[in-house]
Amino acid sequence: MSAISVGQAVVLGVVEGVTEFLPVSSTGHLKITEGLMNIPVDDRSVVGFSAVIQVGAIAAVLVYFFKDIKRIVSAWFRGLVNREERYHHDYKFAWWVIAATIPIVIVGLAAKPLIDGALGSLWVVAGSLIVGSGVMWAADQMGRHKRGEDDTSFQDAMWVGCSQILALLFPGFSRSGATMSTALIRDLDRVAATRLSFFLGIPALTGAGIYELKDALGAGVGAAPLAVGTIVSFVVAYASIAWLLKFVAKHSFNAFVIYRVIIGVGLLGLLATGVLSA
């Protein structure tokens, strides 16, 4: 039997789609949801399933930002054969995304046993949710919000790309939260910080999903739950992206900070009382 049923896959797909790009930690929410449904969060196939359905959310980014991605990729290919095109911001930005993805790939491969083991504990998730909330609040207060997307630099991309490692090592910190907070500290405005987080997430999350696919299928998750979870994740994530970009254009990240603290404290309570197992 599959470690995850189709019905559970639908629920997890919704959770993934809603939370992947919001700065609230999709990994944390998936682990909490899996725990509440009595799905073993440290099961190899379950870890793989969580990574694979992220591809659905990434596909939503590809569709939503298709024109932007097409422009950047086209500029990159033109720059490979035309020296003059290499001065174009889009050409340079494509290389920055590639370079900024390398650190998380190296750490992800090197630390995979630890990530799948001790660092996957719900105690780590709870602590990371709370600590990450403080970082996000401080970043939103410190940032001057004066630089737009066209003002991003190689240094911005590398700092933001490397910040993804925090979420990789401490599930609950949130990849989106870490990247957006770092971009805000670099004085990007909230919309630019959010869009940069999206673009840098494409190669990292797609690669993780492809890498984990063999574990998800080979260790106990059926093809049907994987397909359903990925499709649901795509649909829900597309709506989530559209909402988030409109929200950050007019609001601070304080609502996410408060929500994360509430979830983190609530999770600590569930663990301390034995309602959930770490």
Side-chain angles (χ1 to χ4, degrees):
M1 292 182 62
S2 173
I4 296 175
S5 69
V6 171
Q8 291 171 328
V10 171
V11 175
L12 294 174
V14 171
V15 173
E16 165 64 23
V18 170
T19 61
E20 180 59 57
F21 300 110
L22 301 186
V24 296
S25 176
S26 62
T27 302
H29 279 74
L30 284 172
K31 286 183 177 293
I32 293 171
T33 305
E34 289 162 359
L36 291 173
M37 292 192 296
N38 294 318
I39 298 172
V41 298
D42 58 347
D43 185 287
R44 187 176 179 183
S45 64
V46 174
V47 174
F49 174 87
S50 299
V52 171
I53 65 173
Q54 286 179 334
V55 176
I58 289 299
V61 174
L62 295 176
V63 173
Y64 193 92
F65 292 107
F66 178 75
K67 291 182 178 179
D68 295 297
I69 294 170
K70 180 181 178 181
R71 187 189 74 244
I72 293 168
V73 173
S74 297
W76 185 71
F77 277 111
R78 289 196 305 270
L80 293 178
V81 298
N82 187 330
R83 182 182 295 273
E84 293 182 1
E85 292 288 340
R86 296 172 191 172
Y87 296 99
H88 197 287
H89 183 270
D90 287 338
Y91 171 78
K92 291 186 284 187
F93 184 77
W95 277 116
W96 298 345
V97 170
I98 294 171
T101 302
I102 294 174
I104 192 173
V105 172
I106 294 173
V107 174
L109 292 174
K112 191 175 188 304
L114 191 59
I115 295 168
D116 292 346
L119 292 178
S121 167
L122 288 179
W123 287 107
V124 175
V125 171
S128 299
L129 276 166
I130 296 171
V131 172
S133 300
V135 173
M136 186 182 300
W137 178 84
D140 207 11
Q141 300 301 311
M142 291 168 56
R144 289 179 286 180
H145 314 289
K146 67 177 184 178
R147 299 168 56 213
E149 187 174 347
D150 291 338
D151 299 318
T152 55
S153 65
F154 174 69
Q155 289 79 13
D156 295 327
M158 289 304 297
W159 275 106
V160 174
C162 288
S163 70
Q164 296 179 109
I165 295 172
L166 283 172
L168 183 67
L169 296 178
F170 304 104
F173 203 97
S174 169
R175 191 203 65 83
S176 295
T179 52
M180 290 177 191
S181 296
T182 303
L184 290 174
I185 292 172
R186 298 284 300 174
D187 292 330
L188 293 178
D189 63 44
R190 294 186 183 97
V191 173
T194 302
R195 285 173 61 88
L196 182 58
S197 174
F198 286 144
F199 289 130
L200 286 174
I202 293 172
L205 295 178
T206 302
I210 294 173
Y211 181 83
E212 295 284 0
L213 180 59
K214 65 182 186 304
D215 289 340
L217 285 173
V221 175
L226 271 176
V228 170
T230 303
I231 292 170
V232 171
S233 171
F234 168 82
V235 174
V236 177
Y238 189 92
S240 180
I241 292 167
W243 176 84
L244 179 62
L245 287 171
K246 292 180 181 178
F247 180 86
V248 298
K250 298 179 180 179
H251 302 86
S252 72
F253 287 107
N254 288 344
F256 297 118
V257 171
I258 295 171
Y259 172 80
R260 288 170 58 105
V261 171
I262 292 173
I263 294 297
V265 172
L267 179 56
L268 288 175
L270 292 174
L271 291 170
T273 57
V275 174
L276 281 181
S277 170

